């Protein structure tokens, strides 16, 4: 468990350094290098989160095989949300001078849309939990 804690601190540190470089980097017109670095780090963090979201339940499942069905259901839901977000993402580029490919824009928008889905699900779960507690304590 300490390894995970140190890895999380490492990710926080690298994120802070990249944020500082992004905020105080060169501000010349048309310089997209710092934005590209920021987006690349975002892709890496999304990948780490996806691996953690899939890997940690699998480790827990190996320790408790009774949770296999539940774990596979959650992984399936996550994959379905990812597929729906990818299908909803557009391939439209902004100005013709953009230095990003249509694929990069589509994957970025996929991450944003998936985040919106999970945010709405989290808010609904909070409200549903509060409503259920109100009804039970009545």
């Amino acid at each position: 468990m300490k390894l995970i804690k140190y890895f999380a601190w490492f990710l926080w540190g690298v994120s802070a350094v990249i944020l500082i470089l992004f905020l105080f980097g060169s501000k010349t017109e048309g310089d997209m290098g710092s934005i590209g670095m920021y987006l690349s780090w975002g892709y890496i963090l999304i990948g780490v989160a996806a691996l953690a979201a899939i890997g940690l339940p699998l480790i827990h499942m190996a320790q408790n095989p009774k949770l296999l069905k539940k774990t596979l259901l959650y992984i399936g839901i996550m994959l379905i949300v990812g597929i729906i977000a990818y299908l909803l993402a557009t391939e439209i580029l902004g100005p013709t001078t953009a230095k990003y490919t249509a694929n990069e824009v589509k994957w970025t928008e996929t991450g944003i849309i998936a985040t919106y889905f999970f945010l709405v699900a989290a808010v609904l779960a909070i409200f549903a939990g509060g409503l259920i507690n109100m009804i039970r304590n009545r």
Side-chain angles (χ1 to χ4, degrees):
M1 287 310 243
K2 284 192 175 200
L3 180 65
I4 293 174
K5 183 178 178 181
Y6 293 137
F7 183 66
W9 280 106
F10 169 75
L11 291 178
W12 273 102
V14 172
S15 296
V17 168
I18 289 177
L19 177 64
I20 290 169
L21 289 174
F22 177 72
L23 292 175
F24 299 109
S26 67
K27 304 286 186 198
T28 59
E29 179 104 15
D31 178 27
M32 301 297 279
S34 60
I35 294 174
M37 176 183 60
Y38 205 59
L39 285 175
S40 296
W41 182 245
Y43 293 145
I44 291 169
L45 289 178
I46 288 172
V48 168
L51 286 175
I54 293 172
L56 292 176
L58 290 176
I59 292 170
H60 185 66
M61 180 182 62
Q63 295 171 349
N64 189 355
K66 293 179 183 178
L67 298 176
L68 175 66
K69 189 184 293 185
K70 193 178 205 182
T71 302
L72 292 177
L73 175 70
Y74 291 147
I75 291 172
I77 289 171
M78 193 173 76
L79 289 174
I80 289 171
V81 168
I83 290 169
I84 291 171
Y86 183 79
L87 293 175
L88 289 175
T90 59
E91 295 181 10
I92 298 172
L93 281 175
T96 57
T97 60
K99 297 181 181 181
Y100 302 106
T101 65
N103 192 36
E104 289 173 325
V105 172
K106 185 161 183 154
W107 278 108
T108 302
E109 191 170 346
T110 298
I112 292 169
I113 292 171
T115 301
Y116 289 154
F117 278 137
F118 289 124
L119 176 69
V120 168
V123 169
L124 289 176
I126 290 169
F127 283 128
L131 185 64
I132 290 170
N133 283 338
M134 281 177 33
I135 291 172
R136 283 187 184 164
N137 295 331
R138 198 167 188 199

